[in-house]
Tab-separated table of all heavy atoms in Angstrom:
chain	number	residue	atom	x	y	z
A	29	LYS	N	-28.119	36.736	37.029
A	29	LYS	CA	-27.346	36.934	38.251
A	29	LYS	C	-26.590	35.652	38.617
A	29	LYS	O	-25.737	35.663	39.476
A	29	LYS	CB	-28.272	37.309	39.409
A	29	LYS	CG	-28.948	38.638	39.232
A	29	LYS	CD	-29.875	38.909	40.396
A	29	LYS	CE	-30.681	40.160	40.144
A	29	LYS	NZ	-31.659	40.418	41.175
A	30	ASN	N	-26.936	34.572	37.957
A	30	ASN	CA	-26.373	33.270	38.265
A	30	ASN	C	-25.050	33.085	37.516
A	30	ASN	O	-25.002	33.190	36.299
A	30	ASN	CB	-27.390	32.188	37.853
A	30	ASN	CG	-26.898	30.799	38.120
A	30	ASN	OD1	-25.923	30.366	37.525
A	30	ASN	ND2	-27.590	30.101	38.998
A	31	ASN	N	-23.983	32.799	38.264
A	31	ASN	CA	-22.648	32.673	37.657
A	31	ASN	C	-22.582	31.578	36.594
A	31	ASN	O	-21.907	31.735	35.576
A	31	ASN	CB	-21.588	32.437	38.728
A	31	ASN	CG	-21.310	33.687	39.529
A	31	ASN	OD1	-21.526	34.796	39.062
A	31	ASN	ND2	-20.840	33.510	40.755
A	32	ASP	N	-23.266	30.460	36.831
A	32	ASP	CA	-23.260	29.376	35.843
A	32	ASP	C	-23.971	29.802	34.565
A	32	ASP	O	-23.511	29.504	33.459
A	32	ASP	CB	-23.924	28.116	36.412
A	32	ASP	CG	-23.106	27.480	37.521
A	32	ASP	OD1	-21.864	27.658	37.533
A	32	ASP	OD2	-23.696	26.801	38.377
A	33	GLU	N	-25.099	30.514	34.700
A	33	GLU	CA	-25.811	31.002	33.525
A	33	GLU	C	-24.980	32.038	32.774
A	33	GLU	O	-24.952	32.042	31.535
A	33	GLU	CB	-27.159	31.609	33.923
A	33	GLU	CG	-28.190	30.605	34.345
A	33	GLU	CD	-29.513	31.232	34.766
A	33	GLU	OE1	-29.589	32.461	34.945
A	33	GLU	OE2	-30.477	30.462	34.913
A	34	ILE	N	-24.304	32.901	33.512
A	34	ILE	CA	-23.452	33.909	32.881
A	34	ILE	C	-22.346	33.219	32.076
A	34	ILE	O	-22.079	33.598	30.935
A	34	ILE	CB	-22.856	34.871	33.927
A	34	ILE	CG1	-23.965	35.713	34.565
A	34	ILE	CG2	-21.786	35.760	33.312
A	34	ILE	CD1	-23.533	36.486	35.798
A	35	ALA	N	-21.745	32.200	32.661
A	35	ALA	CA	-20.688	31.466	31.954
A	35	ALA	C	-21.240	30.797	30.698
A	35	ALA	O	-20.590	30.811	29.639
A	35	ALA	CB	-20.054	30.436	32.890
A	36	ASP	N	-22.430	30.206	30.805
A	36	ASP	CA	-23.065	29.578	29.642
A	36	ASP	C	-23.376	30.604	28.559
A	36	ASP	O	-23.154	30.363	27.370
A	36	ASP	CB	-24.357	28.853	30.042
A	36	ASP	CG	-24.101	27.594	30.844
A	36	ASP	OD1	-22.953	27.105	30.860
A	36	ASP	OD2	-25.068	27.097	31.463
A	37	LEU	N	-23.910	31.761	28.974
A	37	LEU	CA	-24.205	32.825	28.017
A	37	LEU	C	-22.924	33.308	27.341
A	37	LEU	O	-22.895	33.502	26.122
A	37	LEU	CB	-24.886	34.003	28.724
A	37	LEU	CG	-26.374	33.879	28.959
A	37	LEU	CD1	-26.859	35.002	29.861
A	37	LEU	CD2	-27.131	33.905	27.650
A	38	PHE	N	-21.885	33.513	28.123
A	38	PHE	CA	-20.604	33.969	27.589
A	38	PHE	C	-20.110	32.991	26.526
A	38	PHE	O	-19.703	33.384	25.431
A	38	PHE	CB	-19.586	34.106	28.729
A	38	PHE	CG	-18.316	34.792	28.331
A	38	PHE	CD1	-18.203	36.165	28.421
A	38	PHE	CD2	-17.220	34.064	27.877
A	38	PHE	CE1	-17.022	36.819	28.066
A	38	PHE	CE2	-16.040	34.700	27.513
A	38	PHE	CZ	-15.941	36.082	27.609
A	39	GLN	N	-20.180	31.724	26.847
A	39	GLN	CA	-19.736	30.697	25.910
A	39	GLN	C	-20.606	30.694	24.647
A	39	GLN	O	-20.090	30.585	23.530
A	39	GLN	CB	-19.765	29.331	26.579
A	39	GLN	CG	-19.209	28.226	25.713
A	39	GLN	CD	-19.131	26.907	26.435
A	39	GLN	OE1	-19.727	26.721	27.490
A	39	GLN	NE2	-18.404	25.969	25.876
A	40	SER	N	-21.910	30.860	24.805
A	40	SER	CA	-22.808	30.908	23.647
A	40	SER	C	-22.484	32.096	22.752
A	40	SER	O	-22.505	31.984	21.520
A	40	SER	CB	-24.267	30.995	24.099
A	40	SER	OG	-24.657	29.821	24.748
A	41	VAL	N	-22.178	33.233	23.369
A	41	VAL	CA	-21.804	34.422	22.595
A	41	VAL	C	-20.530	34.133	21.809
A	41	VAL	O	-20.441	34.448	20.611
A	41	VAL	CB	-21.624	35.659	23.504
A	41	VAL	CG1	-21.005	36.817	22.735
A	41	VAL	CG2	-22.951	36.070	24.125
A	42	LEU	N	-19.541	33.530	22.458
A	42	LEU	CA	-18.287	33.219	21.769
A	42	LEU	C	-18.521	32.270	20.598
A	42	LEU	O	-17.942	32.454	19.513
A	42	LEU	CB	-17.260	32.622	22.733
A	42	LEU	CG	-16.757	33.538	23.846
A	42	LEU	CD1	-15.682	32.826	24.669
A	42	LEU	CD2	-16.228	34.847	23.303
A	43	ILE	N	-19.365	31.286	20.789
A	43	ILE	CA	-19.686	30.352	19.705
A	43	ILE	C	-20.347	31.098	18.548
A	43	ILE	O	-19.990	30.891	17.381
A	43	ILE	CB	-20.596	29.216	20.226
A	43	ILE	CG1	-19.798	28.300	21.163
A	43	ILE	CG2	-21.212	28.429	19.064
A	43	ILE	CD1	-20.641	27.322	21.954
A	44	ASN	N	-21.280	31.984	18.864
A	44	ASN	CA	-21.957	32.744	17.813
A	44	ASN	C	-20.998	33.695	17.089
A	44	ASN	O	-21.122	33.896	15.881
A	44	ASN	CB	-23.148	33.504	18.382
A	44	ASN	CG	-24.285	32.574	18.755
A	44	ASN	OD1	-24.381	31.467	18.237
A	44	ASN	ND2	-25.142	33.011	19.659
A	45	ILE	N	-20.050	34.258	17.825
A	45	ILE	CA	-19.041	35.107	17.185
A	45	ILE	C	-18.185	34.258	16.244
A	45	ILE	O	-17.928	34.643	15.097
A	45	ILE	CB	-18.160	35.834	18.236
A	45	ILE	CG1	-18.989	36.895	18.969
A	45	ILE	CG2	-16.931	36.452	17.588
A	45	ILE	CD1	-18.293	37.496	20.177
A	46	TRP	N	-17.741	33.100	16.727
A	46	TRP	CA	-16.901	32.215	15.910
A	46	TRP	C	-17.610	31.855	14.599
A	46	TRP	O	-17.034	31.972	13.517
A	46	TRP	CB	-16.548	30.961	16.699
A	46	TRP	CG	-15.806	29.958	15.877
A	46	TRP	CD1	-16.296	28.815	15.324
A	46	TRP	CD2	-14.429	30.009	15.496
A	46	TRP	NE1	-15.324	28.153	14.633
A	46	TRP	CE2	-14.160	28.865	14.712
A	46	TRP	CE3	-13.397	30.908	15.740
A	46	TRP	CZ2	-12.900	28.600	14.177
A	46	TRP	CZ3	-12.152	30.642	15.203
A	46	TRP	CH2	-11.914	29.503	14.436
A	47	TYR	N	-18.853	31.405	14.702
A	47	TYR	CA	-19.577	31.012	13.495
A	47	TYR	C	-19.944	32.205	12.617
A	47	TYR	O	-20.094	32.069	11.410
A	47	TYR	CB	-20.830	30.205	13.843
A	47	TYR	CG	-20.500	28.797	14.268
A	47	TYR	CD1	-20.845	28.337	15.528
A	47	TYR	CD2	-19.818	27.931	13.421
A	47	TYR	CE1	-20.532	27.047	15.926
A	47	TYR	CE2	-19.486	26.641	13.811
A	47	TYR	CZ	-19.853	26.205	15.067
A	47	TYR	OH	-19.527	24.935	15.451
A	48	GLY	N	-20.069	33.375	13.230
A	48	GLY	CA	-20.427	34.559	12.470
A	48	GLY	C	-19.263	35.231	11.783
A	48	GLY	O	-19.454	36.083	10.910
A	49	LEU	N	-18.045	34.861	12.151
A	49	LEU	CA	-16.870	35.510	11.565
A	49	LEU	C	-16.849	35.431	10.044
A	49	LEU	O	-16.475	36.387	9.375
A	49	LEU	CB	-15.578	34.898	12.119
A	49	LEU	CG	-15.106	35.434	13.447
A	49	LEU	CD1	-13.846	34.705	13.899
A	49	LEU	CD2	-14.861	36.930	13.394
A	50	ARG	N	-17.270	34.309	9.499
A	50	ARG	CA	-17.205	34.167	8.036
A	50	ARG	C	-18.195	35.085	7.328
A	50	ARG	O	-18.025	35.418	6.171
A	50	ARG	CB	-17.404	32.710	7.620
A	50	ARG	CG	-18.777	32.152	7.912
A	50	ARG	CD	-18.890	30.701	7.414
A	50	ARG	NE	-20.040	30.068	7.989
A	50	ARG	CZ	-20.033	29.266	9.041
A	50	ARG	NH1	-18.896	28.983	9.625
A	50	ARG	NH2	-21.137	28.750	9.516
A	51	SER	N	-19.234	35.534	8.055
A	51	SER	CA	-20.210	36.421	7.423
A	51	SER	C	-20.000	37.896	7.790
A	51	SER	O	-20.732	38.750	7.304
A	51	SER	CB	-21.633	35.998	7.806
A	51	SER	OG	-21.825	36.128	9.195
A	52	PHE	N	-19.009	38.192	8.635
A	52	PHE	CA	-18.731	39.585	8.993
A	52	PHE	C	-18.184	40.303	7.770
A	52	PHE	O	-17.211	39.890	7.157
A	52	PHE	CB	-17.731	39.663	10.156
A	52	PHE	CG	-17.406	41.071	10.557
A	52	PHE	CD1	-18.382	41.889	11.103
A	52	PHE	CD2	-16.130	41.592	10.382
A	52	PHE	CE1	-18.091	43.193	11.482
A	52	PHE	CE2	-15.828	42.885	10.754
A	52	PHE	CZ	-16.820	43.689	11.304
A	53	ARG	N	-18.840	41.421	7.398
A	53	ARG	CA	-18.523	42.107	6.141
A	53	ARG	C	-17.819	43.448	6.354
A	53	ARG	O	-17.711	44.232	5.423
A	53	ARG	CB	-19.806	42.307	5.338
A	53	ARG	CG	-20.466	41.005	4.940
A	53	ARG	CD	-21.723	41.247	4.126
A	53	ARG	NE	-22.686	42.092	4.798
A	53	ARG	CZ	-23.746	41.673	5.495
A	53	ARG	NH1	-23.969	40.387	5.616
A	53	ARG	NH2	-24.566	42.522	6.057
A	54	ASN	N	-17.387	43.758	7.549
A	54	ASN	CA	-16.714	45.028	7.848
A	54	ASN	C	-17.563	46.248	7.506
A	54	ASN	O	-17.027	47.303	7.200
A	54	ASN	CB	-15.360	45.122	7.127
A	54	ASN	CG	-14.314	44.258	7.767
A	54	ASN	OD1	-14.233	44.169	8.987
A	54	ASN	ND2	-13.515	43.597	6.955
A	55	GLU	N	-18.884	46.093	7.533
A	55	GLU	CA	-19.763	47.234	7.272
A	55	GLU	C	-19.927	48.097	8.522
A	55	GLU	O	-20.394	49.222	8.445
A	55	GLU	CB	-21.126	46.749	6.777
A	55	GLU	CG	-21.055	46.113	5.408
A	55	GLU	CD	-22.368	45.504	4.972
A	55	GLU	OE1	-23.356	45.554	5.746
A	55	GLU	OE2	-22.411	44.963	3.855
A	56	SER	N	-19.576	47.533	9.661
A	56	SER	CA	-19.591	48.281	10.919
A	56	SER	C	-18.312	47.921	11.664
A	56	SER	O	-17.570	47.037	11.261
A	56	SER	CB	-20.829	47.898	11.749
A	56	SER	OG	-20.771	46.529	12.116
A	57	GLU	N	-18.098	48.615	12.770
A	57	GLU	CA	-16.939	48.285	13.594
A	57	GLU	C	-17.137	46.904	14.197
A	57	GLU	O	-18.258	46.495	14.483
A	57	GLU	CB	-16.780	49.303	14.723
A	57	GLU	CG	-16.318	50.667	14.279
A	57	GLU	CD	-16.078	51.574	15.473
A	57	GLU	OE1	-15.516	51.100	16.482
A	57	GLU	OE2	-16.464	52.745	15.379
A	58	ILE	N	-16.052	46.204	14.434
A	58	ILE	CA	-16.122	44.862	15.014
A	58	ILE	C	-16.785	44.913	16.386
A	58	ILE	O	-17.544	44.032	16.756
A	58	ILE	CB	-14.719	44.194	15.069
A	58	ILE	CG1	-14.831	42.706	15.393
A	58	ILE	CG2	-13.823	44.871	16.071
A	58	ILE	CD1	-15.263	41.861	14.252
A	59	LYS	N	-16.528	45.991	17.140
A	59	LYS	CA	-17.106	46.146	18.478
A	59	LYS	C	-18.639	46.232	18.395
A	59	LYS	O	-19.345	45.616	19.189
A	59	LYS	CB	-16.528	47.403	19.136
A	59	LYS	CG	-16.867	47.571	20.571
A	59	LYS	CD	-16.121	48.785	21.121
A	59	LYS	CE	-16.283	48.886	22.605
A	59	LYS	NZ	-15.514	49.993	23.164
């Protein structure tokens, strides 16, 4: 519920997506 934590989580998700892009194999939808 904390806006700062939400922002931190959002940023962590984006970082994980960025690093995971090279291993994305199109076996499922990107969504």
Side-chain angles (χ1 to χ4, degrees):
K29 294 178 187 176
N30 180 296
N31 287 335
D32 291 334
E33 288 179 348
I34 293 168
D36 289 345
L37 278 171
F38 190 89
Q39 185 175 15
S40 294
V41 170
L42 295 183
I43 290 168
N44 289 337
I45 290 170
W46 174 257
Y47 285 120
L49 277 178
R50 66 178 165 261
S51 63
F52 180 65
R53 297 181 304 263
N54 285 320
E55 292 174 359
S56 64
E57 289 185 41
I58 192 77
K59 189 175 188 177

